[in-house]
Amino acid sequence: MKEKLTIAMFGQKRLSREGGIEIVVKELSTRMVREGHKVTCYNRKGHHVSGAEYDNRIEYEGVRQKYVPTIERKGFAAVSSSFFAALGSAFGNYDVVHIHAEGPAFFSWLPKMFGKRVIVTIHGIDWQREKWKAGFGSKFIRQGEKNAVKYADEIIVLSKGVQKYFKDTYGRETRFIPNGVNRPEVQAAKLITEKFGLTKDSYILFLGRLVPEKGIRYLVEAYQNVKTDKKLVIAGGSSDTDSFMKELKDLAKGDERIVFTGFVQGKMLDELYSNAYLYTLPSDLEGMPLSLLEAMSYGNCCLVSDIPECAEVVEDKALLFEKSNVNDLVTTLQNACEKKEMVWKFKHEAADFICGKYNWDDVVKKTVELYRGDK
């Protein structure tokens, strides 16, 4: 395969911070372009979460963006955009088509049929997520998983647990290439003080998409039983689950210590990560939690559920509680609020540990080797 590659990517909504897939695609594509490869990202049509000025931007840091027809109805946006992205990448002049997530992988046969080298990244076992447990969406995603196994030249997985799942279920070998993280500059509290009254170490932070499998219900319930003057900040957008957002706000009613910020990015995001006393991710289900990597890179003490996808990341450098066990979460939260020396110890170790373990340059190098078929 030639030295500089022409690559198509799809499966993301757009180049943004809406979710883990979007962050991964942005990191991979921009870094590959800096190395001299040509990358085209096939994005969904529709409003960009970062604002109208980003809606139809043709280029992002050298990455070519194409916007494909998208049926803006629940359950059809991903299917329709993935089909047209697969079609575009099949007929386009590309060496490699890199598909992100199980649903979009349903169409992996299309670029394969036109002689493209097809790589699929499994960001998580998506049919296990609450919103895809039944109906057409569930069938589509399950078939996408099977099509990835059948048609992809290589499958990338982000955790050892998912690697074992593909081996046990399909006898299919996969490549373990976890995500990376950048070392950020820690920011002083300014915007978050002006807007939310938050100061250094005055709050416990959850930051991510507000979806049921992230365990936010448990978090709100547990926090309401913790004796502390530290606020609970829940930062993130609702991601097609407005009813879930309403449920969370109903749960939090009457507790003025709980703050919902909505979707955050840029300086506000940096400040929230930089000034938290504790970051928590109480998920029931994860692919590879990028927000956890980011939180640790800012030097946060983290409290996470003991699912393998979180435990693999943090090793012994964070606090763990038993998944979905509210009582255990209450105890661990209360402990963290009372034992400041323990929290400082984890804070002190977090950034060096995580930035040494997960590096985007390594991820890009291994991914490009896979594109070329290097063993």
Side-chain angles (χ1 to χ4, degrees), residues 13 23 37 67 70 79 87 168 178 180 243 264 285 291-292 299 328 357 368:
K13 290 177 182 174
I23 294 169
H37 305 291
Y67 297 86
T70 306
V79 177
L87 207 57
D168 292 350
S243 60
V264 291
L285 183 71
S291 60
L292 175 56
D328 195 26
K357 186 175 177 182
V368 170

Side-chain angles (χ1 to χ4, degrees), residues 18 88 100 104 155-156 161 190 239 248-249 265 309 315 327 333 350 354 365 368:
E18 281 166 83
H100 293 266
I155 295 174
I156 296 171
K190 187 181 176 189
S239 182
L248 288 177
K249 288 187 172 178
Q265 59 184 343
E309 290 78 7
E315 296 182 24
N327 291 334
L333 273 172
I354 209 73
K365 181 174 178 287
V368 170

Side-chain angles (χ1 to χ4, degrees), residues 101-102 105 120-127 141-150 152 154-175:
E102 293 188 328
V120 172
T121 293
I122 303 294
H123 290 258
I125 309 301
D126 289 336
W127 52 263
I141 289 168
R142 282 176 181 267
Q143 189 58 49
E145 182 177 290
K146 291 171 184 170
N147 285 2
V149 169
K150 188 173 181 182
E154 294 284 359
I155 295 174
I156 296 171
V157 295
L158 308 180
S159 74
K160 297 287 190 184
V162 173
Q163 188 169 45
K164 183 177 185 303
Y165 167 80
F166 273 86
K167 181 68 175 166
D168 292 350
T169 308
Y170 302 104
R172 174 73 197 243
E173 295 292 346
T174 56
R175 301 298 186 100

Side-chain angles (χ1 to χ4, degrees), residues 261-286:
T261 68
F263 177 76
V264 291
Q265 59 184 343
K267 196 163 187 302
M268 185 77 77
L269 177 86
D270 290 337
E271 287 188 20
L272 282 171
Y273 274 137
S274 296
N275 296 284
Y277 175 72
L278 184 74
Y279 172 85
T280 182
L281 187 67
S283 299
D284 286 339
L285 183 71
E286 283 289 346

